[in-house]
Amino acid sequence: MNAAERFVQCLEAEGVTHIFGVPGEENITLLEAISKSDITFITTRHETNAAFMASMFGRLSGRPGVCLSTLGPGATNMMTGIASATMDHSPVVAITGQGATWRQHKASHQMFDLVEMYRPITKASTSIVSGDIISEVVRQAFAKAVSEKPGATHLSFPEDIAKADVDAKTPILRDSTPTFLHPTSVTDSDVLLQIEQAERPVVIAGFGINRSGATDAFQAFFERLGAPVVETMMGKGSISSFHELAAHTIGLPNADYNQRILDQSDLIIAVGYDITELPPSKWNPNQTPVLHIDTNPHEIDQFYPVVANLIGSLPDILHLLSESIPNRSWTGWQQDRDRLRQEIRSTYSLALPLHPQSIVRELEQATGEDGMIFSDVGAHKVWLGRHFQTTRPNQLFISNGFSSMGYGLSSAIAAKLLHPDQRVLCASGDGAFLMNGQDLETAVRLKLPIVVIIWRDGTYGLIEWKQQQAYGRAPYIEFDNPDLVKLAVAFGALGLRVGEHGTLSSCLEQAFLSDGPVLIDCPVDYRENLKLSDRLRTYGG
């Protein structure tokens, strides 16, 4: 057999069922091998989207998603999605075609050193220099992608190596169950001492809790402790928004009401938190001592003064702590949390254009507790993060590591492939959607009943929000849109416009009854952005 065929055998041994990508001249031998396998190849309309899809496929399935591009512009296109996977800690193996080895020593058509280009944005990047090492290289790439903390790895596959003959009897390395080291006892650690001495501890819930499947252990921990819990945007769902200890989400452009809870704390317990989710300077300006509990050592940061830490399996650590920690419940913090809850639960006008708060409320009711919402990047992400109430992990997905526009639609497509019976919705701004909305055609071709709601205001809303706060004006953020309903129809999807085709509620109801993709054009009133900033700035608590 040739090396490409052996490569595909190794992918199958890793449990690969889907590959997302765009064909190219330098990977036609590999594509031929894939076509003869049981792997489903999803042809996308852009390599960035292929990587976004692989990223969400990996996050939801627990095994690395796989994406494929050719060399040159295909490989550079895919880099944005790969950087997103690494920074959002989703396991992905990226495969790029490459020119033949005999032309790699000189300037050549479409060729750059892809191994070095991908190295800064992946956990590992290498080239397959011989068919004899394919089994080792593939196993290594998949093992590194899924190890804590998960991320992307990259394999460059030169076209002449792909065609070369290999020994069919060479064994294929199989997956093995990783062994995690964790503390066997915390009774003598500095962790317990710090918790015992703290009078006003606050817990920060990061994405690592959901990723590690540690929500039950986490609940036992914070309930035993009796401390308020704030979530990062990526940590939403680690505590129910309706829990008596929930202090809701941090990450607004301004310090929210619950920032006062953090400011009053004498110990911040960060569980599964990664510094890329939200810089510590945003939520710990007073440099309050931090207890770090995670799968990996903490980053060094002056606003993240770690006084004790536990590294290992989060469920194991949290179970052990719950058996030993004292209850340190304190009162007074609830007034700031309740002010935030009051805003979240308030009734807002449904007049057009809709307030962002109203859109969030309608999405919450339409998708239900079993639905999945994928937020693209923009002002709508902030409103969803703040106002959407979650009761479980994997209910609201927000990329707050790399935060690339274009994340939402591709992620929703991958999720629907894995969870065909769940309601799946992409929430996107008009700025983000027009960056890579071409893969709406992919959703149509695959007959995936997903809903895409476009929060339309004709601006890059989040940038406008920050410009207005900083300088009182907002240049260069306006643009025109095509008729989004007609655009959806041109792709073969159903297009609905709020107001013209009914209320947002009725449009969502119709959309979720459809047997194919639906795009909803929803005008939004982002004057609410600065109104919120003004309320937070003048809050006297």
Side-chain angles (χ1 to χ4, degrees):
M1 65 173 61
N2 64 35
E5 292 167 331
R6 170 44 57 93
F7 187 87
V8 171
Q9 285 185 341
C10 292
L11 295 181
E12 290 178 314
E14 295 290 344
V16 174
T17 59
H18 292 72
I19 298 176
F20 305 90
V22 178
E25 181 180 349
E26 278 70 21
N27 55 32
I28 60 174
T29 304
L30 180 55
L31 291 167
E32 179 67 15
I34 294 170
S35 72
K36 297 175 181 177
S37 73
D38 292 330
I39 296 174
T40 299
F41 189 88
I42 303 293
T43 303
T44 66
R45 304 305 300 270
H46 198 277
E47 294 87 354
T48 295
N49 294 348
F52 283 140
M53 293 178 198
S55 176
M56 186 52 63
F57 201 91
R59 173 173 171 177
L60 291 176
S61 69
R63 60 183 186 272
V66 181
C67 52
L68 173 70
S69 79
T70 187
L71 79 172
T76 56
N77 281 347
M78 200 161 67
M79 290 179 71
T80 296
I82 294 305
S84 180
T86 296
M87 198 163 281
D88 286 355
H89 300 306
S90 295
V92 171
V93 174
I95 305 163
T96 58
Q98 181 56 290
T101 55
W102 54 260
R103 65 183 179 104
Q104 290 185 13
H105 66 286
K106 58 186 177 182
S108 189
H109 178 64
Q110 290 191 322
M111 193 147 67
F112 283 101
D113 187 337
L114 298 179
V115 172
E116 289 302 315
M117 289 180 67
Y118 271 77
R119 198 180 302 282
I121 60 169
T122 59
K123 297 178 69 176
S125 179
T126 192
S127 179
I128 301 173
V129 297
S130 167
D132 297 332
I133 65 170
I134 285 177
S135 186
E136 291 180 357
V137 170
V138 171
R139 177 82 281 274
Q140 186 181 64
F142 276 78
K144 286 186 177 181
V146 79
S147 64
E148 278 293 324
K149 295 182 177 181
T153 56
H154 166 247
L155 298 176
S156 174
F157 203 174
E159 58 180 330
D160 59 331
I161 302 297
K163 297 174 183 177
D165 292 337
V166 297
D167 185 354
K169 297 179 181 180
T170 303
I172 295 175
L173 300 180
R174 304 289 180 175
D175 193 9
S176 59
T177 302
T179 300
F180 295 101
L181 298 177
H182 61 82
T184 57
S185 173
V186 297
T187 55
D188 298 324
S189 70
D190 290 340
V191 173
L192 277 182
L193 179 62
Q194 292 294 331
I195 295 176
E196 288 171 357
Q197 293 178 344
E199 296 181 357
R200 299 179 304 280
V202 176
V203 179
I204 287 185
F207 175 48
I209 297 169
N210 297 340
R211 190 181 67 245
S212 300
T215 50
D216 289 344
F218 179 63
Q219 181 168 339
F221 167 73
F222 70 72
E223 286 182 345
R224 166 73 179 180
L225 183 63
V229 179
V230 296
E231 304 165 296
T232 65
M233 287 189 181
M234 292 184 69
K236 285 186 73 73
S238 54
I239 179 175
S240 169
S241 299
F242 304 99
H243 197 285
E244 63 180 357
L245 293 174
H248 301 288
T249 312
I250 53 175
L252 279 179
N254 302 87
D256 210 336
Y257 304 122
N258 54 5
Q259 178 61 45
R260 290 173 176 263
I261 302 172
L262 287 163
D263 290 343
Q264 296 171 47
S265 172
D266 58 357
L267 178 68
I268 297 175
I269 305 174
V271 182
Y273 162 79
D274 190 286
I275 200 169
T276 61
E277 297 180 56
L278 185 67
S281 59
K282 296 283 188 181
W283 53 264
N284 197 17
N286 299 330
Q287 298 177 313
T288 301
V290 172
L291 166 57
H292 177 83
I293 303 174
D294 198 17
T295 57
N296 285 61
H298 63 89
E299 294 283 346
I300 304 301
D301 187 289
Q302 63 176 318
F303 294 99
Y304 198 67
V306 173
V307 292
N309 65 87
L310 282 175
I311 306 301
S313 164
L314 287 184
D316 292 335
I317 291 174
L318 293 170
H319 278 308
L320 288 167
L321 281 175
S322 297
E323 297 173 356
S324 307
I325 58 175
N327 185 287
R328 284 289 184 269
S329 58
W330 53 286
T331 59
W333 64 268
Q334 291 91 346
Q335 64 179 4
D336 295 298
R337 187 276 312 276
D338 291 345
R339 176 62 185 267
L340 178 54
R341 282 190 174 179
Q342 180 183 356
E343 283 207 356
I344 291 173
R345 294 171 178 172
S346 295
T347 301
Y348 296 91
S349 170
L350 292 176
L352 295 177
L354 290 174
H355 288 181
Q357 304 95 313
S358 303
I359 300 175
V360 174
R361 177 72 56 81
E362 295 292 336
L363 296 184
E364 194 176 279
Q365 294 175 351
T367 55
E369 287 193 31
D370 294 329
M372 305 169 78
I373 292 185
F374 297 86
S375 174
D376 216 299
V377 175
H380 64 282
K381 178 188 80 170
V382 174
W383 287 102
L384 281 165
R386 186 178 194 252
H387 283 253
F388 193 94
Q389 299 180 85
T390 56
T391 57
R392 60 170 179 84
N394 292 343
Q395 196 173 350
L396 174 63
F397 296 78
I398 295 176
S399 171
N400 219 41
F402 200 56
S403 289
S404 173
M405 298 176 79
Y407 161 91
L409 173 61
S410 304
S411 299
I413 289 173
K416 195 64 177 179
L417 288 171
L418 282 167
H419 299 283
D421 297 328
Q422 287 188 245
R423 288 190 167 187
V424 173
L425 180 142
C426 163
S428 180
D430 44 2
F433 180 75
L434 266 295
M435 285 193 173
N436 65 351
Q438 63 268 45
D439 266 291
L440 182 61
E441 185 275 328
T442 301
V444 171
R445 179 172 12 104
L446 298 176
K447 298 181 174 59
L448 297 177
I450 63 173
V451 178
V452 182
I453 179 170
I454 309 298
W455 304 41
R456 174 175 54 82
D457 75 320
T459 69
Y460 292 113
L462 183 58
I463 307 306
E464 180 185 24
W465 190 349
K466 295 187 176 184
Q467 285 177 314
Q468 289 287 2
Q469 285 188 276
Y471 302 108
R473 64 192 195 98
Y476 315 124
I477 48 85
E478 296 181 352
F479 49 78
D480 295 323
N481 285 305
D483 186 315
L484 296 174
V485 169
K486 291 181 179 179
L487 181 63
V489 173
F491 274 118
L494 174 63
L496 301 172
R497 183 176 292 112
V498 177
E500 181 179 339
H501 300 109
T503 63
L504 175 56
S505 177
S506 63
C507 286
L508 286 167
E509 182 179 0
Q510 181 180 349
F512 280 118
L513 292 174
S514 176
D515 59 0
V518 180
L519 185 148
I520 300 174
D521 175 3
C522 182
V524 58
D525 184 359
Y526 275 142
R527 289 178 296 181
E528 288 296 304
N529 295 347
L530 290 178
K531 292 179 182 178
L532 172 59
S533 295
D534 289 341
R535 289 196 301 274
L536 296 176
R537 187 165 49 249
T538 59
Y539 176 52

